[in-house]
Amino acid sequence: MEKMAMDIAKAFILCFSKEAWEELKYLCNYKSYVKDFENERRKLSDEVKEVNLRIDEAKENNKTIVHPRVQGWLDRADILVQHDPQPTKCFGLCTNCFSQVEQAKKIENLTKEVIPKLIAEVKEFPEVARSAGVPGMEYHSQDEFMSFESRMENFEELMKALEDENEIGLLGMGGTGKSTMAIEVGKYVEKSKLFDKVIFIEVSTPVDEKRIRDEIAKKLGLHLEEEKRWTHAEQIWNMIANIGKLLIILDNVWEKLNLENMGIQPRFHSKGRCCVLLTSRYEDVCTQMRFQKRIKLEALPEEDALKLFFFHAMKTSQGCPNNLKNVAVGIVNECGRLPVIIVPVAKVLNDYPTGEWQDALERLKSDAGLSRYEIVGEDEEVKNFYNFLKLSYDHLKEEKAKELFLLCSIFPKAHEIPVELLCRLAMGIDEYDTSGSQVRGSKNKLINSSLLLKANEECVKLHDVIRKVALEVWNEEIQVITDSNTKLKENMKYSSWIINDRFPNCFDGSKLIKVLLVWLNANSSLEVPNAIFEGMKNLRVLLLHSKIEYGRTSALSLPNSIQSLKDIRTMSLKNWELGDISVLMINLQKLESLELTNCSIIELPEISELKKLRFLCLKSCSFQKSNPFEVVARCSQLEELYYVSNDDCILVDYGEVRPIISLPEYKIYHIDGSNFSAFDSSKLDTSIKRYFKPGRLTYFSKETIKSLATRAEILELLLFDETDLNNLIPSTVSIGDRAMEDLIKLSLKKCYNMKCLIHTDHHQLKSGATVFSNLVELQLDEVYVREICYGSYPDGFLRQLEKLELKFCQKLETTLFKDKLVLRNLKSIYLEECSMMYLFHPSTAQSLTLLETLKIVNCSKLKYIIRDEESSVEEKADDEDRNPRNHNSMFSKLKLLSVQGCETLEFILSICFCEDLPLLETVELSKCKNLRYMFDQYPKQGGLRQMQNENILRSLKVMSIDDVPLFVNIYPECYLPQKSTNTSEGSKEKGKGPSCNVSWWDPLSCFHPKSETTSKDEPSTSETAQPDHIASQGKYVGNRANGIFTPPLYPCNLREMNIRDISNLRSLFSISIASSMSFLEELVVSNCDELEQIVTEEVDGHHHMKGNSIFPNVRTIEIKQCYKFEYVFPASCSRNLVRLESLLIDGASQLKYVFGKSCDDDNLPDHQNQIDLSALNKLSLKGVPNMVRMCPENYYVKAMSLQHISLEECVQLPINCFIDLSIEGGEGQEQLSRKRPIGMHLCKLKHLALGSMEMENLYDLEKLQIAGPVDSSLETLLLGGLDKLRSICVGPKHHLSFQKLSKLKIFGCHQMKFIFSAPISRKLPYLKHLWLIQCKELERIIEDDDEECYFPNLQFINVANCHRLKCLFSISTFGGLPQLRALVIGNALRLEQVFEMKQGTTQELDIKHVFPMLFMILLQDLTILHTICSTIDFRTVMLREVNACPHLFLPSTDSKFFESYMRWLQKSERNEGNMDEFDLLEQHFNRLRQMAEKRRR
């Protein structure tokens, strides 16, 4: 025993002495450790500076989003650089030995492991930042933009024009600043929200309509579908019609544009709804496009030109020394006072000593170069540009920058050149570094010299005038050929062909040295001369693009002469049917870059033989044989691979297709197995270096998938057939120190067997190991995971996540994020049909400080958004930090909250959040059957949390509540602040007794149980200060009768409100609430069965606010299917609705007045009895059988702007006749409006629709005793269900004219025997549509049988179910319907002939002379019809459909063309009264016509 004790003691002493020696080593060598640490820290600091420089360079190239991995590296490096290695001191005097030892250990670890590892990581950064996506107008704005007083008048004129016009032309000579002005206007209206969307398009010449459509669609967020039913233009048009207010800027237009082909039809919209602003130097363009509003931009005044010059030449706008002013005046005048010349000249002179400015002026004045290059006869702007361009070009010290400028000059006019393409072309010309940084550096020099301009999304372009002059000045080096007969000049370095249909006849390739760029407008097959490339031995760059709009141009095969291109480095082919391309493998051994886009190929040749090939792009290509990826996989020398959306024709047969086992480790790869589309015009995002979306590419082995997935920055997987894949990590990617650390986007779809995303429970995580630490976007769609992470969260898990989207994840259990997880960068959450009961653990919710959007759709099991603490014993809230500021930051950036179809949800958030959503702008609640409140307490949450702040939801702008039948209020009434009934007594009692209020600042008070001393049944006695305007006596008790808003919730900033399907809601607002809503613009209420008023006069405990006006900015009010609705607003509060533009009431059977009676109406003075609706433009009243007036008898309405009126089922409204007054004199307007039951003037009326009303005549000129002419302003007239209507006009008929009437539809007017009197029929110059339906007594359209019709613009005639009609019109030989396009007649049982020829006419007439535009005839169920017109043959009409017309001998054409037309017609009959149905018909008809014409060709 003693020996054993001695052995133990010896062992202990040895162990202790060894440990002591280790500790002593750290203490003695401390300074050495610090010195080594300082050396490593210095190296790390240098690396930080280098990375920051790379970030700055990337930002110059519009790559503004720093990769999360890089940002994380910088954060970690900065901490180490700032680390203080000094130990602490005891009492501030002597060094603490224990602290010194610990510090030595720490810095040893930092020196030997942490810092070297960080430094090594830098080498693996392929790129430090990426593009920010589609830019807004801010992107187009110039960094050094200057505004001038002389331009403010033009700016204000443009802004005014955008309010009044839909089509505006901004004109001026090249370089005056048209584009800059348009950009600044677009930037202003975008920032100020005057338009919902602003689109800027650079228009090239010749016009490329497809490119413009693609650009518009992209900026609208629209994916153009390739289907026969809708053309691309129609898809764009449909999107524009529903997007809100839109401004489209078409910059630099040189020739007439067909806007309809691009989906733009501004004339169909109301003013300011869809505006087109184009800039052009030619006024003829505006004339040809019928742009009436034109604004001319002149050169700058001399004073402003000098300011601009000095700003760039001396970095000051404060003037200059007197001795330089005269020189500066001469310079700006030589520049023509054009900004586009002044700026680059000034930038050049910025590097010159001021003493040499005079020499520069003399060079600008010199005309020697003008005659040399034979541009004396050119226009003035070219002369102005010549000398400045030479000056700027000569100032470039780098030859590579000069070469790059010349290369850009041969691109088509206004062409936006992708920087990535420019890099590949330039590297093919000269020796550049493979990263492209040198090319980008040269590009930046050109931009800084204003010789090159930034364009959209990593593109650059040349100003068209600079390009024009460059082609003249350097015409001995570069040449652009625009027709097939032009010959190439001698000794050209760079040349481009922009030609149609065929290659040039004469071409000697030996003359070309380096570059040939070809754009061919060829829509069919093209014969490529077999010897076209012979002699081009020095050619290094070949770009051959067909500009076919759809499909490909057939070239059959590459010409054999391509073998002679032995020095070719870069080749780009687009939109070609190439067939056999095996000739590429012969003699093209120097080829470094090969790009094939939308090309058809028989088989990909063995490109591995091209030993220098580094870049390969195959996008939207078709392969007829073999697996092209097998060939690609064998090309081991590749560094960059783009394999995107190709049609490889491989049958998915796992027994036949050999798996791709390994691939080279590409520096850059985009592998996208999306379905092939020959119409895909999307650009590759070159800011993403590694993108992997195998899609239907099922021939990758698991090892290959693992390799590509592990390194990917974007990973999108479709895994429905992977039965053994339970998780992504570690099943696909092993857990390690750097598992998917470059991944920024992960998208998984159809993973039915996956149990979790990552599994960490049985896997040892190394200290500091991270998973998804740089992930920015996570998308799961039909992924049946039970939880995101099984086991503990790895370090940094989802710390950079910004966007979370989960759809159809129907196996999620309990809480989405069950444990504490920090999601400080999360900005957007979208959840649809997911099965979890809760979203967040309370502590996770606290970290969502940047969350802006929360959308939850059809999550039927969702019980709470934030899990309540009592739901799980195991889960506890984080009590460590009880700083009240933490709570205030919860959801502090939330702007959009949308919850739809969550049937279990009873409230959205805990009541404590009610006062903590300072930026919440939009709330959407829909189809939540059990939802009662937005804010409430959990059932087991004790106590009562009463609100302290009246400024709740202060940023709320849009609220929509749809089909939430049990909704009561924003919050329960028991949470409202209480006001003591006796202030003095309340102050005496203050502080006595137990408090009933919980601690409102407690950061987790919404999750912790409240005090037992309070409950909802025990009202608070605390005194809360209230503003005077909401002071009250006694506690306010909220209820549904007083609306869904209750003080202190005053939605002062609310702009839009939509309420639908809420049961038992009697009113929306009390007067005190309504009076605070001064910004409300749109109010829509529908299907609220118990609703009686919008605003109630019931006392809500606050000032009644008698006589106050409400909603001063409201523009739109819609009330639908509210059958107990009595009135909109009390008349006494409605006197100043001066901005109200549209008022619609439909289905309010109890309504008597739009503006109801008030209790104090009789005491109002006369001058207060006017209701001002001066902006009212549209009034629609339907289904209001008890309505008698707009307002009570002691009020009258002032509405001078009415243009649209629709009245239907207004049987009590005493209107016997209806006329739009355009006469002056007689009875005063005010007295006249008081007498009228509708109570308003109609002198500007353009659109009138009347239905189901008691009236015999529309215009009764006899009763009104009108002796003079009456000129109607109507453009559209719809009359329906007017059983007693006999005529449009009675009285002196020659007095009435419809000079502006364009659309007339009459249906269900059974007493009418004719439509027009003969005098009226002669005054319809613009009538375009005539629809007559179910007029049983109608015999003729024109009353006088002998009256010959002449409707010069009538295009569409539609007649149906008019059983007594015998003939439509009498016509003469010269033709009375020159524009008639479509004739549709059905079920007219007595119709014998459609057009009656004037008596005595027997000669046969040519249809081209009488009906030159007739395209379609549709005749149905006309039992006695024997002819359309007796002397005309209608068999040449392109589309004919004749059914059940036994006596008419007219054959039908293919009926398929009429099927879609009939479907639309049936739909329109169910939609009678729609003001837009005529325009929809025209659109449908035009599509039908295009289809027929294509079929005929």
Side-chain angles (χ1 to χ4, degrees), residues 309-360:
F309 174 80
F310 286 122
F311 178 78
H312 290 283
M314 302 181 70
K315 299 302 178 184
T316 178
S317 58
Q318 304 300 319
C320 68
N322 291 331
N323 63 327
L324 290 179
K325 186 170 184 179
N326 291 336
V327 178
V329 168
I331 291 173
V332 298
N333 284 320
E334 285 300 320
C335 294
R337 302 198 308 279
L338 299 176
V340 75
I341 307 179
I342 293 173
V343 171
V345 167
K347 286 182 176 180
V348 170
L349 294 180
N350 180 251
D351 295 335
Y352 278 43
T354 54
E356 297 182 16
W357 283 17
Q358 183 64 46
D359 296 335

Side-chain angles (χ1 to χ4, degrees), residues 1408-1443:
K1408 294 181 180 179
H1409 297 151
V1410 186
F1411 302 107
M1413 304 298 292
L1414 188 59
F1415 167 76
M1416 181 176 71
I1417 295 176
L1418 175 57
L1419 305 176
Q1420 177 93 22
D1421 294 322
L1422 307 176
T1423 56
I1424 65 172
L1425 180 71
H1426 60 81
T1427 182
I1428 298 176
C1429 186
S1430 58
T1431 60
I1432 301 176
D1433 184 0
F1434 288 89
R1435 286 178 296 179
T1436 58
V1437 175
M1438 185 176 296
L1439 295 183
R1440 306 180 305 277
E1441 178 74 7
V1442 180
N1443 292 316

Side-chain angles (χ1 to χ4, degrees), residues 50 68 151 175 214 331 360 422 473 487 489 614 631 634 642 704 729 851 863 924 988 1104 1348 1368 1396:
E50 179 65 27
R151 290 292 194 242
D214 290 342
I331 291 173
L422 196 61
V473 174
K487 294 182 179 180
K489 298 178 182 178
R614 298 292 181 268
V631 179
R634 290 193 290 271
Y642 292 85
T704 302
I729 298 177
L851 186 65
K863 187 175 181 180
E924 299 171 349
K988 291 177 183 179
H1104 190 187
E1348 293 182 12
L1368 263 61
E1396 183 180 22

Side-chain angles (χ1 to χ4, degrees), residues 7-52:
D7 291 341
I8 293 174
K10 288 180 181 178
F12 178 78
I13 292 171
L14 288 173
C15 180
F16 178 80
S17 60
K18 182 179 180 181
E19 290 184 1
W21 175 252
E22 291 291 331
E23 297 294 312
L24 187 62
K25 179 184 70 173
Y26 285 113
L27 188 64
C28 297
N29 298 325
Y30 175 74
K31 289 185 178 180
S32 177
Y33 287 119
V34 170
K35 184 177 180 181
D36 292 342
F37 171 73
E38 293 291 354
N39 291 334
E40 289 298 313
R41 181 166 65 173
R42 194 176 301 109
K43 295 177 184 178
L44 180 61
S45 179
D46 292 339
E47 292 293 339
V48 169
K49 292 176 182 177
E50 179 65 27
V51 170
N52 282 320

